[in-house]
Amino acid sequence: MTKTSPLQRPRTSGSLPATWSALWKGSVRFRTTVLTVVLSALAVIIACVWMALAIQDRLYEARKDQAMTAALQAAAEAQSLLDAANPEGDPGKLQEIMGGVQTRVANLAATDYARIVRSPAEASTTLAPVPWVTTPFEANADMLTEGLRERVRDQTTRQWLQAVEITMPSGELVPGILIGQSLRFPEVGMYELYLAYPLDEEQQTLLFVQRTLWLAAAALLFIIGVISWFVMRSVTAPIREAAETSAQLAGGDLGVRIVVDGEDELATLGRSFNAMADSLEGQIKELAELSLVQQRFVSDVSHELRTPLTTIRLAADMINDNKASFDPTTERAAELLHAQVQRFEGLLSDLLEISRYDAGSVQLEIEPTSLAHLAEDVIDSMQQLADQHGSNLRLVAPGGYSPVDMDARRVRRVVRNLIGNAIEHSEGKPVVVTVDSNQQAVAIGVRDFGLGIKPEHIEHVFDRFWRADPSRKRTIGGTGLGLSIALGDAKLHGGTLTVWSEPGNGSNFVLTLPRVVGGAITVMSSPIAVEGQDAETPMGTLGLTQPIDVVLDTDLRGKK
Ligand code: ADP
């Protein structure tokens, strides 16, 4: 099975939104860079718009002031010429004065867009000089509105302004300012002077400024993005290394450390991490050593006890053989001694087996064995115990006859333990042993209909020295090591040992062994379902509780 590290980069295949979403979720660097660029873009856009508007206002105001001053000067000069003139009712003189006015306006107004028009309210007279309009103004005659003219007529002493659009000789439409003022002609009355000022140059300047601003903004954003990418890289690289190292540490590689460089916060993080890893490694080593000492102690004590115990057993056997010649009290004591010495021996051999597991020195002695026949043998040997408990011990074996490679001695011990436990907890009810096989595995199930195991106890049945009720009267076993050893045996074969149980409905223990030792099997591929089966219809399913697969926990339990 290939393990996927949580630190691996997310896959970025697939549609574009999925790619972006994966990048967004999976990379702090990407997220921070995008956020920085987006927020900076907002700030830059606001700044650029504000600057563009300010520059536009400034340019417009400056041009307006300039135009008004020029127009005022032109009008004032023209009016002073008019005030000094004395036409004496001569139309020729009046027209001459108009010519002078035109020249002054043309010289001083600083625009080609000029028009002098007689106010319509004036009485018509043949004396009045002909109005004047320049060609560019005439081309834009529409810009002069009646509203502006009325205002100019109403208040003759001031300038009137109107924003207009002017078509340039090139055909380009540009914004402009139209200024209206009054001129008083001697003897003929009021005339109106209109001067238009196109803002084409200002528009050009504004366009140039705007273009430059946007270009500068884009360049600025690009630079901000690149800088934030590199800054984030320098920050996230050590964090990523720390995360990867801690993942390796969590995976059991206690020797990994972070390469610490410099004195900054990240270096402090690295140093603290390394100190933590050192302390963790030290503690784990200490615990492992302690556990080794404990294992060795159990193994040594068990070995040391063997010799005196053998002598005690021989003596106890001898006394037991002669118990008929003792008085009843001594006879009972001899029986008790015999039984307890036997239990002690059993406990000692279990302890030795467990210490062999802990030392990792267990070797399987593989031979082709028929599980169905093995089960039959064990049942025969345990028939007497079943009778003593009033239990009917039955074998149902639809399969499992053909020989499969296994360590027969160990499998026999497991089956004996399972059947012994079942008889002990069956409360006189039947015990059904099922053997079956499929393509991958052979399995044996031992089902009793007795006490059952409470749900909160099920997860402990494979623990060392665990017994549901330590005070219960025991006839066989009773050390609390049997199932722990059985699980070790199953694992050694690459098999599983699973349990289903329900208080009052009994229990079902299923041992599944692969056809080839070490072959891949799962609880699901077992030929026997672990859920409880009915006494009368052995293959029926009660299915009230879920099976518990305890196989995966063995390593942890073994280290307790
Ligand atoms: P032992 O039988 O020597 O006490 P085991 O490891 O074989 O030790 O069993 C551990 C405990 O699991 C037993 O003490 C018992 O409480 C419980 N147990 C095992 N098999 C059954 C069963 N078939 N029904 C009910 N409880 C059981």
Side-chain angles (χ1 to χ4, degrees):
M1 195 174 72
T2 47
K3 267 176 102 183
T4 322
S5 156
L7 296 164
Q8 273 173 8
R9 271 178 185 289
R11 276 181 175 280
T12 50
S13 63
S15 65
L16 203 64
T19 311
W20 279 82
S21 143
L23 268 172
W24 178 264
K25 285 185 199 145
S27 165
V28 183
R29 204 192 308 172
F30 177 78
R31 213 164 44 230
T32 315
T33 308
V34 170
L35 272 178
T36 312
V37 170
V38 169
L39 293 178
S40 310
L42 272 178
V44 166
I45 286 172
I46 291 171
C48 281
V49 169
W50 180 79
M51 276 197 281
L53 287 175
I55 291 170
Q56 183 181 326
D57 272 6
R58 191 73 212 99
L59 278 173
Y60 177 76
E61 283 300 320
R63 179 69 172 132
K64 191 182 86 181
D65 289 350
Q66 195 191 18
M68 282 173 76
T69 312
L72 196 64
Q73 203 187 348
E77 287 293 322
Q79 190 59 56
S80 68
L81 182 78
L82 290 172
D83 291 347
N86 185 12
E88 295 165 346
D90 180 355
K93 270 193 181 172
L94 270 167
Q95 195 56 48
E96 210 175 285
I97 294 165
M98 174 61 108
V101 167
Q102 285 168 12
T103 314
R104 287 205 175 185
V105 168
N107 288 341
L108 295 169
T111 177
D112 295 338
Y113 297 80
R115 181 175 179 184
I116 297 175
V117 61
R118 185 168 161 76
S119 293
E122 294 297 329
S124 71
T125 161
T126 48
L127 287 178
V130 213
W132 170 65
V133 62
T134 60
T135 321
F137 197 109
E138 200 168 18
N140 289 280
D142 291 352
M143 67 183 164
L144 180 57
T145 59
E146 203 43 50
L148 181 66
R149 289 199 65 185
E150 267 171 26
R151 280 200 196 99
V152 171
R153 279 199 298 274
D154 286 352
Q155 286 194 33
T156 53
T157 52
R158 51 168 295 191
Q159 287 181 308
W160 288 97
L161 250 82
Q162 186 174 324
V164 288
E165 279 189 330
I166 300 173
T167 310
M168 302 290 286
S170 62
E172 193 189 351
L173 197 65
V174 296
I177 311 165
L178 181 60
I179 302 173
Q181 296 157 109
S182 303
L183 291 177
R184 180 178 298 281
F185 267 65
E187 297 174 19
V188 286
M190 297 304 294
Y191 273 70
E192 295 152 29
L193 167 65
Y194 294 101
L195 296 167
Y197 294 86
L199 301 176
D200 55 334
E201 275 177 27
E202 286 67 24
Q203 176 152 295
Q204 289 295 327
T205 313
L206 198 65
L207 273 176
F208 172 75
V209 168
Q210 280 176 349
R211 211 173 299 136
T212 312
L213 271 179
W214 291 125
L215 273 177
L220 191 67
L221 283 179
F222 177 74
I223 292 168
I224 288 174
V226 171
I227 290 175
S228 91
W229 180 264
F230 279 104
V231 169
M232 279 316 287
R233 198 171 74 160
S234 69
V235 175
T236 54
I239 295 176
R240 173 172 281 274
E241 193 196 335
E244 273 165 8
T245 313
S246 48
Q248 276 173 281
L249 196 73
D253 188 354
L254 296 176
V256 286
R257 294 291 179 274
I258 292 175
V259 182
V260 180
D261 194 14
E263 293 296 324
D264 57 9
E265 290 85 348
L266 292 168
T268 312
L269 169 77
R271 264 193 293 278
S272 313
F273 180 90
N274 287 348
M276 185 191 75
D278 285 344
S279 135
L280 207 66
E281 191 182 11
Q283 283 180 21
I284 288 176
K285 271 191 183 147
E286 222 169 83
L287 281 175
E289 275 162 21
L290 204 69
S291 155
L292 217 65
V293 170
Q294 280 177 345
Q295 287 168 16
R296 214 170 291 141
F297 175 77
V298 172
S299 167
D300 290 351
V301 169
S302 311
H303 271 108
E304 288 304 319
L305 283 176
R306 256 165 87 123
T307 323
L309 188 64
T310 314
T311 319
I312 294 171
R313 193 174 65 81
L314 284 174
D317 282 352
M318 209 181 73
I319 295 170
N320 194 48
D321 288 348
N322 294 314
K323 64 181 178 188
S325 57
F326 302 150
D327 61 87
T329 321
T330 320
E331 186 186 346
R332 177 78 193 119
E335 278 173 6
L336 273 176
L337 176 69
H338 186 249
Q340 290 307 315
V341 167
Q342 263 187 342
R343 263 196 85 190
F344 195 4
E345 244 193 338
L347 173 64
L348 207 59
S349 67
D350 280 356
L351 277 175
L352 277 170
E353 186 68 5
I354 289 269
S355 56
R356 259 181 241 125
Y357 273 115
D358 290 344
S361 62
V362 180
Q363 290 283 326
L364 288 181
E365 286 161 28
I366 300 294
E367 55 183 306
T369 310
S370 158
L371 188 59
H373 290 138
L374 182 146
E376 221 172 344
D377 283 354
V378 178
I379 286 174
D380 282 349
S381 71
M382 300 194 83
Q383 205 65 57
Q384 202 188 349
L385 183 74
D387 292 344
Q388 280 169 14
H389 282 78
S391 290
N392 177 9
L393 187 54
R394 280 196 279 147
L395 174 68
V396 180
Y401 290 91
S402 53
V404 169
D405 278 349
M406 64 180 83
D407 185 330
R409 186 183 67 84
R410 286 175 193 281
V411 175
R412 185 171 283 114
R413 182 172 64 189
V414 176
V415 175
R416 197 180 299 126
N417 183 271
L418 295 182
I419 296 179
N421 279 346
I423 293 172
E424 280 215 319
H425 297 91
S426 67
E427 311 256 276
K429 291 182 189 139
V431 172
V432 182
V433 179
T434 315
V435 181
D436 206 351
S437 65
N438 61 17
Q439 277 192 329
Q440 295 107 45
V442 285
I444 177 164
V446 180
R447 170 77 163 107
D448 70 78
F449 298 87
L451 281 173
I453 307 166
K454 291 184 191 155
E456 67 268 27
H457 288 163
I458 286 186
E459 58 180 308
H460 296 296
V461 289
F462 297 97
D463 288 354
R464 290 179 183 180
F465 297 108
W466 186 88
R467 291 165 58 194
D469 181 4
S471 63
R472 234 174 96 77
K473 173 179 161 284
R474 308 298 301 254
T475 24
I476 59 162
T479 60
L481 285 170
L483 284 177
S484 163
I485 293 174
L487 189 59
D489 284 334
K491 261 212 107 186
L492 221 60
H493 282 82
T496 60
L497 179 58
T498 49
V499 59
W500 169 94
S501 190
E502 205 177 68
N505 273 329
S507 315
N508 192 22
F509 283 85
V510 175
L511 169 72
T512 309
L513 302 174
R515 281 195 176 273
V516 184
V517 175
I521 60 154
T522 62
V523 177
M524 303 311 287
S525 61
S526 176
I528 299 175
V530 75
E531 286 95 341
Q533 290 149 16
D534 196 274
E536 301 311 319
T537 52
M539 300 316 282
T541 302
L542 290 174
L544 294 173
T545 44
Q546 287 300 306
I548 290 181
D549 175 18
V550 286
V551 177
L552 299 172
D553 297 345
T554 33
D555 289 347
L556 288 175
R557 287 211 182 86
K559 285 183 183 130
K560 268 192 182 174

